[in-house]
Amino acid sequence: ITPASMTIVFLSITIGTIMTMSSSNWLMAWIGLELNMLAILPIISKPKTTRASEATTKYFLTQAIASAMMLLSSTINVWQTGNWNILELKNKFSTTIMALSLMMKMGAAPIHFWLPEVLQGTTLQTALLITTWQKIAPVTLMYMISNNIQPTILVSAGILSMIIGGLGGINQTQLRKMMAYSSINNLGWTITIMAFSPNMALMNICTYIMMTTPIFLMMTNMSTKTLQNLSTTWTTSMTMTLSIALLMLSTSGLPPFTGFMPKMLILNELISQKLTTLATLAI
């Protein structure tokens, strides 16, 4: 891919996300997400391998289905209310479909199946892009409609994401798949608290992005793709290996690292909302 075409692709990804984040109209938000999705496809398929082509196809199909669900939801809502405004999503059926489509877009359980496979088939830089930048637009939309979504849906999906993210990453040797399950787990925390404190959900996802970015950048720098690679890099680059280990512990929410702070605040909020059982499940 030439530098000019790469510039256009990255510009489209940026414009797509900004368009979605700044729009108050469902149609404009949908166009922004479509532009974003179509622009990232050449980046995923850049390595000329069968796995990259497979990852591109999986990403395209899941995102296209999610976009179709999003359009269906907003259209049903327009029939009911006569309004394209994002904040006017009043129809319960529309709200449920919209929540599911946004979960599919960001890769949260129960519609998470595509994320580990896509990350495994791409380069580390593209995996970084998918786990960070590509989550911003759907999380923003969910933040905007969080008051209208039934808490039961968000909490159920959130708890399921935490369980799948936690258990799925246990038996992995591939670092990209581990990071994918880490992403699912962190999205679980974000979605669970979205029903009660949307601002805290934003803080959680921002903290996650800030911790994930250096992990991927260091893994790219050292060309580590498996746990075995990571264990052998100790001899060549001790500081970087130690940094990755500490950042991974932080991402998992272990005290006294930064990643523990949003999780502690989320648990505190759940307990103050008299959702002690939920807080216990989250732990």
Side-chain angles (χ1 to χ4, degrees):
I1 302 175
T2 60
S5 56
M6 281 306 279
T7 308
I8 294 166
V9 163
F10 279 109
L11 205 61
S12 301
I13 290 172
T14 313
I15 291 167
T17 302
I18 292 168
M19 191 190 287
T20 303
M21 287 171 72
S22 57
S23 63
S24 58
N25 183 301
W26 275 121
L27 216 52
M28 286 304 289
W30 175 76
I31 290 167
L33 283 169
E34 285 295 289
L35 178 65
N36 189 304
M37 183 255 286
L38 291 170
I40 202 171
L41 293 177
I43 299 174
I44 301 172
S45 62
K46 194 184 173 190
K48 297 289 177 274
T49 60
T50 316
R51 294 214 67 168
S53 307
E54 191 184 321
T56 311
T57 311
K58 281 177 181 172
Y59 186 83
F60 172 71
L61 289 174
T62 46
Q63 296 294 316
I65 293 164
S67 294
M69 284 167 69
M70 191 178 162
L71 207 54
L72 170 71
S73 166
S74 49
T75 309
I76 291 168
N77 188 62
V78 170
W79 282 339
Q80 296 285 322
T81 62
N83 199 334
W84 281 103
N85 195 316
I86 289 177
L87 301 173
E88 294 294 318
L89 195 70
K90 302 293 182 194
N91 185 287
K92 270 190 179 179
F93 179 66
S94 295
T95 315
T96 308
I97 294 178
M98 185 60 75
L100 286 170
S101 73
L102 291 174
M103 285 173 203
M104 196 171 188
K105 280 264 176 209
M106 61 178 95
I111 326 165
H112 66 285
F113 52 86
W114 62 272
L115 188 62
E117 297 299 319
V118 169
L119 287 204
Q120 190 54 37
T122 60
T123 60
L124 285 164
Q125 296 97 318
T126 313
L128 167 64
L129 200 62
I130 294 168
T131 49
T132 54
W133 184 261
Q134 293 299 94
K135 299 226 184 310
I136 296 170
V139 167
T140 308
L141 285 176
M142 192 172 268
Y143 174 83
M144 289 164 86
I145 63 164
S146 58
N147 292 335
N148 300 326
I149 307 172
Q150 291 166 286
T152 322
I153 296 166
L154 288 175
V155 169
S156 305
I159 293 291
L160 195 62
S161 295
M162 284 183 211
I163 294 166
I164 288 171
L167 296 177
I170 289 172
N171 206 25
Q172 298 299 332
T173 54
Q174 296 288 334
L175 289 174
R176 279 168 295 180
K177 277 197 175 179
M178 276 178 69
M179 294 308 291
Y181 282 109
S182 164
S183 169
I184 293 163
N185 181 276
N186 275 280
L187 278 172
W189 286 90
T190 306
I191 292 167
T192 304
I193 200 63
M194 190 73 82
F196 311 105
S197 176
N199 290 338
M200 208 173 282
L202 278 192
M203 185 194 68
N204 184 58
I205 201 77
C206 288
T207 312
Y208 166 72
I209 288 170
M210 283 191 292
M211 289 185 301
T212 304
T213 307
I215 293 176
F216 271 112
L217 291 174
M218 282 190 278
M219 287 197 312
T220 308
N221 191 26
M222 296 194 296
S223 301
T224 50
K225 291 178 182 177
T226 62
L227 278 175
Q228 196 177 2
N229 290 157
L230 201 60
S231 60
T232 53
T233 51
W234 181 262
T235 50
T236 53
S237 179
M238 197 173 87
T239 316
M240 217 172 261
T241 313
L242 190 64
S243 301
I244 290 180
L246 292 174
L247 277 163
M248 280 183 167
L249 288 172
S250 181
T251 315
S252 62
L254 195 79
F257 301 108
T258 315
F260 175 65
M261 180 193 63
K263 288 181 173 59
M264 185 185 67
L265 291 171
I266 288 168
L267 288 172
N268 183 49
E269 181 66 28
L270 289 173
I271 291 162
S272 65
Q273 294 273 2
K274 305 215 170 16
L275 294 160
T276 319
T277 319
L278 202 61
T280 316
L281 260 173
I283 295 166

